[in-house]
């Protein structure tokens, strides 16, 4: 087992491997809580900073370091969520959670070009899809933390209560309220769309978009579809949602007309779902995520903010 000597004392730390092995879990948790990989990494870094700020005696007194790290990371995220609401009120245009590449495409690096350790990668499942993360954004910070900890990561309400500073009964109510939001956003009557069918729909959308075929685009879009873009004031994008399949089709045909030389569209996995990326001279400048219900696209999320494209462009 790898051990660490405490600076200046030469004493091995037999629990180092266990502490470090929690990083993947903490990144997964923090990303779902914050909707931003950058903020998630910062929250986890703050958590580890607090751990190593304790004396060795204080560390040894903690019965379950993993539980301690989860509690602290969750509280850090809860504080970040509170301040994030104020920041997003002044955000330019719409705010969309930060999209993540699929495992096969993700070779992102930290500042300085170092490749991210595979253990840092977020596990991509249904709880990290853009549609789900957008619903999480509609929740209060306490609702989001209670719901993610209990329903996604299977913590008891007693454990959640300790983290959010409320009673278990109150946390149960928070999670229940969050579930109602999820059900309202994703009606039970909506049929689940297999991944292979979603891939076909997104691929057909790409072909129709490149061909500027408005009729084909309309046929692939739900009549009540919505398209939302996030440029963050740093990249050109439409500032308000585009509502209605026909309006989206015409808007996308217009984008195709203005498509600059050197831009290519590629099919890629976005948060575990079929998506598209636009490369300008080999550099990814736009990521598109889709929600497909049946054989129609119901939502399109367009990420243009370069700060939120770091996992796609750094490596």
């Amino acid at each position: 087992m790898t051990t660490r000597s405490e600076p200046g004392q030469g004493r091995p730390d037999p629990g180092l491997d266990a502490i470090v092995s929690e990083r993947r879990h903490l990144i997964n948790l923090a990303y779902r809580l914050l909707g931003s990989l950058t903020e998630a990494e910062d929250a986890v870094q703050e958590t580890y900073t607090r751990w190593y700020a304790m004396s060795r005696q204080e560390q040894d007194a903690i019965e379950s370091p993993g539980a301690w790290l989860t509690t602290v990371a969750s509280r850090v995220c809860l504080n970040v969520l509170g301040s994030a609401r104020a920041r997003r009120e002044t955000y330019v245009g719409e705010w969309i959670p930060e999209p993540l590449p699929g495992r096969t495409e993700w070779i992102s690096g930290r500042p300085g070009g170092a490749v991210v350790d595979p253990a840092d990668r977020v596990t991509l499942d249904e709880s990290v899809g853009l549609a789900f993360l957008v619903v999480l954004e509609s929740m209060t910070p306490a609702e989001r933390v209670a719901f993610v900890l209990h329903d996604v990561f299977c913590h008891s309400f007693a454990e959640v209560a300790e983290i959010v500073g409320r009673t278990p009964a109150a946390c149960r109510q928070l999670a229940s309220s969050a579930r109602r939001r999820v059900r309202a956003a994703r009606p039970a009557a909506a049929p689940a769309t297999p991944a292979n069918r979603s891939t076909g729909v997104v691929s057909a959308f790409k072909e129709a978009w490149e061909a500027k075929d408005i009729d084909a685009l309309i046929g692939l879009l739900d009549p009540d579809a919505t398209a939302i873009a996030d440029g963050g004031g740093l990249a050109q994008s439409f500032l308000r949602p585009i509502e209605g399949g026909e309006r989206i089709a015409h808007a996308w045909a217009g984008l195709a007309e203005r498509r600059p030389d050197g831009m290519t569209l590629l099919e890629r996995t976005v948060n575990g779902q079929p998506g598209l990326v636009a490369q300008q001279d080999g550099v990814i400048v736009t990521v598109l995520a889709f929600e497909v219900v049946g054989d129609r696209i119901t939502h399109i999320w367009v990420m243009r903010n370069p700060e939120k494209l770091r996992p796609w462009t750094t490596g």
Side-chain angles (χ1 to χ4, degrees):
M1 177 183 292
T2 301
T3 59
R4 171 181 64 85
S5 294
E6 191 167 319
Q9 298 184 32
R11 292 182 299 172
D13 179 0
L16 178 61
D17 284 349
I19 294 298
V20 173
S21 68
E22 291 292 328
R23 182 173 180 83
R24 178 171 183 166
H25 165 72
L26 297 176
I27 288 287
N28 273 281
L29 172 64
Y31 176 72
R32 286 162 175 80
L33 289 177
L34 301 175
S36 164
L37 181 61
T38 302
E39 291 182 347
E41 290 174 336
D42 289 344
V44 172
Q45 183 61 40
E46 171 63 20
T47 301
Y48 277 100
T49 297
R50 295 186 187 185
W51 171 265
Y52 287 112
M54 294 190 295
S55 68
R56 177 66 178 277
Q57 185 177 13
E58 290 172 321
Q59 292 173 359
D60 290 344
I62 295 174
E63 183 175 349
S64 173
W68 186 94
L69 291 168
T70 295
T71 297
V72 172
S74 299
R75 288 174 177 166
V76 170
C77 289
L78 185 59
N79 291 334
V80 172
L81 285 171
S83 61
R85 288 205 156 205
R87 292 199 306 273
R88 288 169 194 172
E89 287 177 359
T90 59
Y91 194 81
V92 178
E94 298 289 326
W95 192 96
I96 298 174
E98 183 178 308
L100 295 180
R103 295 181 183 88
T104 56
E105 292 92 30
W106 192 357
I107 329 172
S108 66
R110 301 185 187 284
V115 176
V116 170
D117 188 287
D120 288 353
R121 298 179 181 178
V122 174
T123 301
L124 301 178
D125 59 25
E126 64 277 2
S127 73
V128 81
L130 255 293
F132 187 80
L133 291 174
V134 167
V135 177
L136 293 180
E137 283 298 315
S138 70
M139 301 176 185
T140 67
E143 281 178 338
R144 185 167 184 167
V145 172
F147 176 75
V148 170
L149 284 172
H150 180 268
D151 285 42
V152 178
F153 288 91
C154 302
H155 288 274
S156 70
F157 284 120
E159 293 171 318
V160 176
E162 182 180 352
I163 290 170
V164 302
R166 305 195 187 189
T167 66
C171 292
R172 188 183 300 275
Q173 288 298 317
L174 287 170
S176 178
S177 175
R179 280 186 221 108
R180 287 195 294 271
R181 293 179 187 266
V182 173
R183 287 195 295 268
R186 301 174 67 84
T193 303
N196 59 345
R197 191 189 303 176
S198 295
T199 300
V201 172
V202 172
S203 180
F205 182 88
K206 172 181 175 290
E207 294 177 6
W209 183 10
E210 291 178 318
K212 308 168 192 175
D213 188 337
I214 292 178
D215 289 337
L217 288 170
I218 291 174
L220 292 164
L221 290 158
D222 186 271
D224 296 321
T226 302
I228 299 175
D230 180 341
L234 302 175
Q236 185 176 3
S237 65
F238 49 95
L239 296 178
R240 296 183 179 180
I242 301 176
E243 298 180 348
E246 288 195 26
R247 291 187 61 197
I248 294 173
H250 283 279
W252 254 250
L255 290 172
E257 290 284 355
R258 302 188 298 274
R259 180 174 167 179
D261 294 337
M263 178 169 284
T264 57
L265 287 175
L266 301 171
E267 296 178 36
R268 290 290 185 268
T269 299
V270 182
N271 286 65
Q273 300 295 322
L276 299 173
V277 302
Q279 287 185 339
Q280 180 65 49
D281 299 322
V283 177
I284 294 177
V285 294
T286 306
V287 172
L288 296 93
F290 299 82
E291 182 176 41
V292 178
V293 176
D295 292 313
R296 296 288 187 95
I297 295 169
T298 57
H299 290 90
I300 304 175
W301 294 281
V302 183
M303 180 54 68
R304 294 272 297 151
N305 185 340
E307 292 184 350
K308 293 186 180 181
L309 294 176
R310 181 178 60 86
W312 299 81
T313 58
T314 309

